Amino acid sequence: LAKTMARKVERALVNTYGPDSMPTVEDIQDVVENVLIENRKSRIAKNYIIYRHQRAMARSAKDYPFEVYDRVPYRILYEVLRWNMDHNCSSVTELNKTITSGNFPALVKESEKRYNDEIRLAAEKILSGIGKTRMIIIAGPSSSGKTTTTIKLAEHLKKEKIGLKTINVDNYFFDLSKHPKDEFGDYDYETPEALDMDLINRHLVDLLNGKAVKTPHYDFKTGKRKLNVHEMKLGKRELLLMDSLHGLHEKMTGSVEESSKFSVYIETLSQFKTGDGSMMRWSDNRLLRRMCRDKDHRNLKPAQTIAHWHYVRRSELKYIIPFIAGVDYIINTAMPYELPLFKNRLSRYVSDCVRKYRNDPKRLDASIRSGRLNELLGPIKAIRDDSCVPSDSLVREFIGGSRYRY
């Protein structure tokens, strides 16, 4: 029986993440639960769920509970958790008390300060290498806040009279019609192969050699790009800056010497205890962000975003996570205060997704994620008034109202 269930779990994992990816332990355990339930092994499933919960509670009973995975350094996770605990935002209970006591605006202010301090330190490190550094790479998984971080980093360097020219990699997507579809008619544009790598590298070489180029423009609503639209050239005291989901992928900047690159990795290193005692997954934090942005700015319904997310995770596990160890600097973009904002904006959509995908065996990943998001948001108090969130906040990239243009 164990072998039979294991084979079914393996098939479900391959169907969801592909044969070449490496799902996290938590991802695998989610699938195990669903396979057991679908195969009417209710007693085993119940014991398995209890076991997972007991393990989560044991971890949360420690003074500083955390989970280390996806090769992110222990020290950073420890510092994030300590900061959250010191600011009373490390759990649903603490966050709700902060809201009830009227201290939510103060939490917003402190969270923004922490994030901006990290960007300032990254800028100082870049400035210390001026002379050999020619290119800055901002990389990280979907909805980690790369664009806002890039803009803010540029502002710091500008104060030292170092200019930046950003090459927008999103404009190098091939036309959506050229991408293969899956059985649901969904496009997999999360892979590096969805980008015109040859054109990117030609433009990188030309720019670093002082030549002018004309980059394409990609329209997300139509799924089409136009060539030779945005003229671009580096000045004497300018660095080339790349903000890209796949900025660390070797083929993305293979034409540029390693010694001339400075890489910054962006991730939502959330160390937040959910209602059941487990730690919120970083990818769930980013999924909520992307649901907001897709709904308001990319003409996609939240259900579509959740259904497509398994492509996002598969690509991250294969093309992004393996390169973290070699980066020069890591910035945590998780904002503890953003969850109450998402509760107000997305709660009903998440509930709809739970009902929509609950009994669809072909949408296993969407069912698991929507159920988990529903449980995450359920006990959190909603915040409807976002006026305390500054106009230059990273969170504005996803909820709207930013002074930056994206």
Side-chain angles (χ1 to χ4, degrees), residues 123-173:
E124 291 175 358
K125 192 167 184 178
I126 291 171
L127 290 168
S128 68
I130 290 297
K132 66 176 182 179
T133 300
R134 302 285 313 284
M135 180 177 181
I136 311 299
I137 300 171
I138 306 291
S142 177
S143 300
S144 56
K146 296 181 298 299
T147 304
T148 299
T149 302
T150 297
I151 294 172
K152 287 180 172 289
L153 186 60
E155 290 176 342
H156 279 278
L157 296 178
K158 186 178 181 180
K159 294 176 183 177
E160 302 299 325
K161 298 182 180 180
I162 299 296
L164 292 175
K165 283 286 179 67
T166 304
I167 183 167
N168 188 349
V169 176
D170 283 352
N171 285 327
Y172 287 83
F173 276 118

Side-chain angles (χ1 to χ4, degrees), residues 88-103:
N88 300 313
C89 59
S90 66
S91 68
V92 171
T93 301
E94 289 183 349
L95 185 57
N96 285 343
K97 286 182 179 179
T98 296
I99 295 171
T100 303
S101 64
N103 291 324

Side-chain angles (χ1 to χ4, degrees), residues 274-293:
T274 65
D276 67 358
S278 62
M279 303 301 282
M280 179 178 71
R281 303 191 196 181
W282 309 337
S283 59
D284 286 348
N285 194 160
R286 293 187 284 101
L287 175 54
L288 289 168
R289 288 179 173 183
R290 181 150 166 173
M291 288 169 68
C292 262
R293 184 176 62 189

